[in-house]
Amino acid sequence: MPRTLKIAAAQMGAVHRDSARQDTLSRMIKLLQSASTLDAQLVLFPETAFTTFFPRHLISDHKELDSFFEHGDNLAGSPNTKPLFDEAKKLGIDISVGFAERTADGNGYNTSVYYSASQGEVIAKYRKVHLPGTKEPFENPDAVNQLEKRYFEPGNLGFKAFRAPDLILGAQKKGAGSVQPGMGDPILGMMICNDRRWAEAWRCYGLQGVEVVLCGYNTAGFAPDLWGTRKPMTPKEAEDDAVFHHKLVMQGNSYMNSCFSVSAAKAGLEDGKYDLIGGSCITSPEGHVLAEAKTKEDEIVFAEIDLEECRQGKEKTFDFDRHRRIDQYATITLQAGVVEPELL
Amino acid sequence: MPRTLKIAAAQMGAVHRDSARQDTLSRMIKLLQSASTLDAQLVLFPETAFTTFFPRHLISDHKELDSFFEHGDNLAGSPNTKPLFDEAKKLGIDISVGFAERTADGNGYNTSVYYSASQGEVIAKYRKVHLPGTKEPFENPDAVNQLEKRYFEPGNLGFKAFRAPDLILGAQKKGAGSVQPGMGDPILGMMICNDRRWAEAWRCYGLQGVEVVLCGYNTAGFAPDLWGTRKPMTPKEAEDDAVFHHKLVMQGNSYMNSCFSVSAAKAGLEDGKYDLIGGSCITSPEGHVLAEAKTKEDEIVFAEIDLEECRQGKEKTFDFDRHRRIDQYATITLQAGVVEPELL
C-alpha cells in the first residue's frame, strides 16, 4: 500500500531591499495557486521568503533592520504574512516558510514554520542552528558580507521531527487492518540553508525516522577563495559549483538518512547585484533528484512521492538499530579543537 | 606553498574462493610496481585484498574459514603477505591494505593497516566499525549472504587519525620559517567499505583535521528490493545505482569534512558468480571526482593532490569551531529507538 504525497518547492526569484512587502506576498500567493493546480498537498517556500536576504548588508538603521523581521509568535496573524496562510487554508495546502523572527525579549532567529491547513494553525517551528558567516563585517569592501551571526542567535529548538496531520488518505494510512511502523502521516523535519551541509542536522532527524526534510535557502553563487588554493573560476563556474554542492548535500544526506528532501531557493540577482543560486529540487531516499528548477525565477518544482520508498533504506542498509555503533561516536558531541588527535 | 602528494588506489579485479594466495599477491605487487612508475607515494589496496570476499559464503569448514584470516599483529611478517610489504619498502611507497584479522584470543575483525615505507613498519591499524549484513544466513537460497556480523566483531579501535611521516618534502612542510596549523605530514584516516556510508565515521575523522580518508571496499552490484518499493531494475541498472551511491557518499562526505578521499574496490565477478562494483576513485575537498577507475579489473587510479586545498573548507564553510552547535547534537550518541520523537 503506497503512502503518496504531492509535494512542491516554491522557488522564488529575487526580492530586493526596496521591494514592497505586498508585492512579494502576491508572488508567493500566486506560486501557491500554481502549486494548487498540480494538486500539491505541501508547499515549501524559501528561507527569509518575505524579504530580501538582508544579512548580506550591514544595516545600522534600526527601523530598516526591524522591517525585515516579524514579531512575536503569530506569523499566521501578521498583516505582512497572514494573506499567505489564509490562501493556504482556503486551498487546503500545508505550507512551510522561512522568515526572520524577533522574539518578545528582543532576540532574532532565522526561523521557519510549518502551517497545517487542516488544523488551521502553525504546528511546528524550527530555528536555524548552523548560522554561517561572521558577526562583524569584512574589512575588504569588495567582500560580500554574511552577517547572520550578527542578526540572529543560533537556533535553540533542536531538530524536532513532527507528523503533518491529514496528509495521507485513510485507506493508505491504515494498511491491512493495523497501523504498521512507518505508516500514518508523514514524518517531517525542517532545516534552513546552511544546516543542509551539516550531517549532524540530518542525523538528528534521521534518528526520529524522518521521511521528508524541508530546507529553504539563500545561497550565494560566488564564494571568495580565501586561500588562493582553488583553480580560478569564472562567476558562471563558481555558481555551477555552488549548485553542485547544494545538490550533493541534499542527495547524499537524503540517501544516508533514507528520506526524501525538498529544497526551495530564493534565487537570482537580489538588490540588483548579489547573485543567488537556483537549483531547488526534490530528492529521493536513494539520493536521486526527482525534480529540479529550470530557472532562477518564481517556479514550482513538483513531485508525487511514495513515503514507503523510505523503508528500503531504513530497514536495511541504514537500519540504525542494527548498524550504528554509538560507543565509537563520543567525539561528535565535542567541539572541534577539544579533540586532540593521537597523531604521530 | 603547496603540500603535494602523489596518491593512488590499487583497484583489484575478482579474487576467487579457490585463487592461490601467491597469485593474488603477485597481482598486488604488480599493481604496486605500476603505481611506482607514476611516482606514487601512497597506494591504497581494497578491503580483504588478499582473498575473495568470503563473508558472502556460509563456511562451516573451520580450516577453510581460517585460511581467509591472518593471525596476530604481524601482517608485514606473514609469508602470505610479507612480499607486498617488502616491495613497498623497496619502492619507497606507503601502503594501506585490508585483511581479515584473527586475534590471539580468537576474535575476528575486518581490518586495515597503514605501512610506512620510511619507518619500515605498520604505523596504524583500523578495524571496521560498521559491519553490514546479518549474523545468520538468509533462508531464501537465492539471497546473497553478507555474513560480516557472523565472522567479525565490530571494530574497537575508534577512528584515529594519524600522520604519515616523511611524505611531504621538507621545504613544503616548513612553510615560511615556521610550521603552520595544517602544515606538516598528511593527516590520514582509514575506513572500510560500509563505513563510508556513515557520516559519523567521517565526522570523527573530520574533527581531527583529516586531510585524506582511505577506504577499501567490496560492494555488491545488486541488492535485493526487500519491500518491493523500488522501480524494477536490470542488473546493469542496479550496478550503476550502487556505483552512484558509492561515489555520492565519497563526494558528499569529502566535501562536508573538507578532505580528499581515496577508495579502492575489489571488483568484478568473484567466485564466478557474485558481481562487485568498480568505481575506485579519488575525490577532492570540494567533492569533485579527480580520478576514477575505467575497468573492473586490476587498475591503478592516480592523482597528484595538494593538501592545502583542504584549508578553504576547513577554515571557512566547515570551520567546526565557529559553526558546529554541539549543544544540539546530543541524540547522535544515542541508539535509534532510544530517541522518542515528539510527534503529533
Side-chain angles (χ1 to χ4, degrees):
Chain A
M1 174 73 67
R3 291 162 65 227
T4 54
L5 188 64
K6 292 175 179 169
I7 200 160
Q11 177 174 288
M12 297 173 66
V15 178
H16 304 298
R17 192 165 174 175
D18 59 1
S19 292
R21 291 289 293 267
Q22 292 304 317
D23 291 348
T24 307
L25 200 51
S26 296
R27 286 167 54 189
M28 295 170 78
I29 289 171
K30 205 170 151 195
L31 279 164
L32 196 58
Q33 290 165 341
S34 169
S36 177
T37 66
L38 301 167
D39 291 329
Q41 300 169 274
L42 195 178
V43 176
L44 170 69
F45 288 91
E47 176 190 34
T48 63
F50 301 98
T51 67
T52 189
F53 187 67
F54 65 89
R56 72 169 68 88
H57 302 293
L58 180 62
I59 301 171
S60 44
D61 176 342
H62 280 276
K63 200 175 153 197
E64 186 192 6
L65 184 59
D66 217 39
S67 75
F68 295 117
F69 284 81
E70 290 300 319
H71 284 256
D73 223 4
N74 187 27
L75 194 71
S78 159
N80 278 335
T81 53
K82 183 173 186 294
L84 179 70
F85 295 91
D86 289 348
E87 189 71 15
K89 184 166 188 180
K90 184 179 134 198
L91 296 172
I93 300 176
D94 285 15
I95 61 172
S96 178
V97 59
F99 68 107
E101 177 192 14
R102 180 78 67 204
T103 63
D105 56 7
N107 281 336
Y109 293 98
N110 192 337
T111 299
S112 66
V113 292
Y114 188 93
Y115 175 87
S116 162
S118 73
Q119 308 300 301
E121 60 181 2
V122 168
I123 61 166
K125 181 192 268 193
Y126 170 75
R127 289 172 174 159
K128 184 174 183 177
V129 166
H130 298 96
L131 299 174
T134 55
K135 204 155 191 161
E136 297 303 323
F138 292 122
E139 289 182 17
N140 180 344
D142 294 332
V144 178
N145 282 309
Q146 220 301 18
L147 295 168
E148 284 191 61
K149 282 185 159 67
R150 184 183 193 90
Y151 298 129
F152 303 125
E153 300 298 315
N156 56 357
L157 301 177
F159 301 97
K160 285 193 187 138
F162 59 97
R163 283 195 196 267
D166 304 323
L167 285 187
I168 301 296
L169 298 180
Q172 295 186 345
K173 197 186 293 188
K174 292 282 160 48
S178 70
V179 177
Q180 300 293 320
M183 305 296 280
D185 281 311
I187 302 175
L188 309 181
M190 292 183 278
M191 55 179 74
I192 301 178
C193 196
N194 185 43
D195 286 318
R196 71 199 190 284
R197 304 183 204 276
W198 296 85
E200 291 90 346
W202 291 83
R203 187 61 100 220
C204 287
Y205 282 128
L207 287 166
Q208 298 168 77
V210 75
E211 295 174 312
V212 187
V213 164
L214 307 172
C215 181
Y217 60 100
N218 291 268
T219 297
F222 177 73
D225 178 9
L226 292 182
W227 298 107
T229 51
R230 271 200 324 229
K231 292 185 196 99
M233 287 197 261
T234 65
K236 172 69 168 65
E237 287 167 340
E239 181 173 345
D240 288 348
D241 214 35
V243 173
F244 164 75
H245 288 149
H246 159 64
K247 288 164 62 178
L248 180 61
V249 296
M250 298 311 293
Q251 294 178 259
N253 288 305
S254 292
Y255 170 64
M256 289 189 285
N257 291 280
S258 312
C259 63
F260 292 90
S261 79
V262 184
S263 54
K266 193 137 54 59
L269 219 58
E270 283 205 335
D271 305 338
K273 183 173 169 186
Y274 304 99
D275 195 39
L276 297 176
I277 66 168
S280 305
C281 62
I282 299 173
T283 64
S284 79
E286 296 291 321
H288 296 287
V289 174
L290 302 175
E292 188 178 349
K294 292 174 184 66
T295 73
K296 290 171 70 179
E297 307 295 330
D298 291 7
E299 178 183 349
I300 292 293
V301 178
F302 174 86
E304 180 172 335
I305 63 177
D306 176 4
L307 300 173
E308 287 299 282
E309 288 179 21
C310 299
R311 295 181 69 180
Q312 172 77 20
K314 285 186 194 299
E315 306 194 15
K316 194 185 159 226
T317 304
F318 299 105
D319 179 341
F320 293 157
D321 270 333
R322 286 202 299 132
H323 299 313
R324 291 181 85 234
R325 303 295 311 171
I326 55 175
D327 55 315
Q328 305 293 318
Y329 301 161
T331 55
I332 291 176
T333 50
L334 303 179
Q335 195 52 275
V338 176
V339 185
E340 274 302 312
E342 292 182 27
L343 303 179
L344 288 173
Chain B
M1 174 73 71
R3 290 162 65 227
T4 55
L5 188 63
K6 292 174 179 170
I7 200 159
Q11 177 174 289
M12 296 173 67
V15 177
H16 304 297
R17 192 165 174 175
D18 59 0
S19 292
R21 292 289 294 265
Q22 292 305 315
D23 291 348
T24 307
L25 200 51
S26 295
R27 286 167 54 191
M28 295 170 77
I29 289 170
K30 205 170 149 192
L31 278 164
L32 196 58
Q33 291 166 341
S34 169
S36 176
T37 66
L38 301 167
D39 292 330
Q41 298 169 276
L42 195 178
V43 176
L44 170 68
F45 288 91
E47 175 189 35
T48 65
F50 301 98
T51 67
T52 189
F53 186 67
F54 64 90
R56 72 170 67 90
H57 303 293
L58 180 62
I59 301 171
S60 44
D61 178 342
H62 280 277
K63 201 173 152 198
E64 187 193 5
L65 184 59
D66 218 41
S67 76
F68 295 117
F69 283 80
E70 291 299 319
H71 285 255
D73 221 5
N74 185 27
L75 194 73
S78 157
N80 278 333
T81 52
K82 183 174 187 295
L84 179 69
F85 295 90
D86 288 348
E87 189 71 16
K89 182 164 189 179
K90 184 178 132 197
L91 296 172
I93 299 177
D94 284 16
I95 60 172
S96 178
V97 60
F99 69 106
E101 176 190 17
R102 182 76 70 203
T103 62
D105 56 8
N107 282 336
Y109 293 97
N110 191 338
T111 300
S112 67
V113 292
Y114 188 94
Y115 176 88
S116 163
S118 73
Q119 308 299 301
E121 61 182 1
V122 167
I123 60 165
K125 181 192 271 194
Y126 170 75
R127 289 171 174 161
K128 185 175 182 175
V129 165
H130 298 97
L131 300 174
T134 56
K135 203 155 191 161
E136 298 304 322
F138 291 121
E139 289 182 16
N140 180 343
D142 293 331
V144 179
N145 283 308
Q146 220 300 18
L147 295 168
E148 284 191 62
K149 282 185 159 68
R150 184 182 193 90
Y151 299 130
F152 303 125
E153 301 298 316
N156 57 358
L157 301 178
F159 301 98
K160 285 193 186 136
F162 58 97
R163 283 195 195 265
D166 303 324
L167 285 187
I168 300 296
L169 299 180
Q172 295 185 343
K173 196 185 296 190
K174 294 281 162 51
S178 69
V179 176
Q180 299 294 321
M183 305 298 279
D185 281 310
I187 302 176
L188 307 181
M190 292 183 278
M191 55 179 74
I192 300 177
C193 196
N194 184 43
D195 286 318
R196 72 199 189 283
R197 304 184 203 277
W198 297 85
E200 291 90 346
W202 291 84
R203 187 63 99 221
C204 287
Y205 283 128
L207 287 167
Q208 298 168 76
V210 73
E211 295 174 312
V212 188
V213 164
L214 306 172
C215 180
Y217 60 101
N218 291 265
T219 296
F222 177 74
D225 177 9
L226 293 182
W227 298 107
T229 50
R230 270 200 323 230
K231 293 187 194 94
M233 287 197 261
T234 65
K236 172 67 167 66
E237 287 167 341
E239 181 173 345
D240 287 348
D241 214 36
V243 172
F244 164 75
H245 287 150
H246 158 64
K247 286 164 63 178
L248 180 61
V249 297
M250 298 310 293
Q251 294 179 260
N253 288 305
S254 292
Y255 170 63
M256 291 189 284
N257 291 280
S258 313
C259 63
F260 291 90
S261 80
V262 184
S263 54
K266 191 136 56 58
L269 219 58
E270 282 205 335
D271 305 339
K273 184 174 169 185
Y274 304 99
D275 195 39
L276 298 176
I277 65 168
S280 304
C281 61
I282 299 172
T283 64
S284 78
E286 297 291 320
H288 296 287
V289 174
L290 301 175
E292 187 177 351
K294 292 175 183 64
T295 72
K296 291 172 68 180
E297 309 294 328
D298 291 8
E299 178 183 348
I300 291 294
V301 178
F302 174 86
E304 180 171 333
I305 63 178
D306 176 4
L307 300 174
E308 286 299 283
E309 288 178 21
C310 299
R311 294 180 71 182
Q312 171 78 19
K314 285 186 194 299
E315 306 193 15
K316 192 185 161 228
T317 304
F318 299 104
D319 179 339
F320 293 157
D321 269 333
R322 283 202 301 135
H323 299 312
R324 290 180 86 237
R325 303 295 313 172
I326 55 174
D327 55 316
Q328 305 293 318
Y329 301 160
T331 55
I332 291 177
T333 51
L334 303 180
Q335 194 54 271
V338 175
V339 185
E340 274 304 311
E342 292 182 28
L343 302 179
L344 289 175

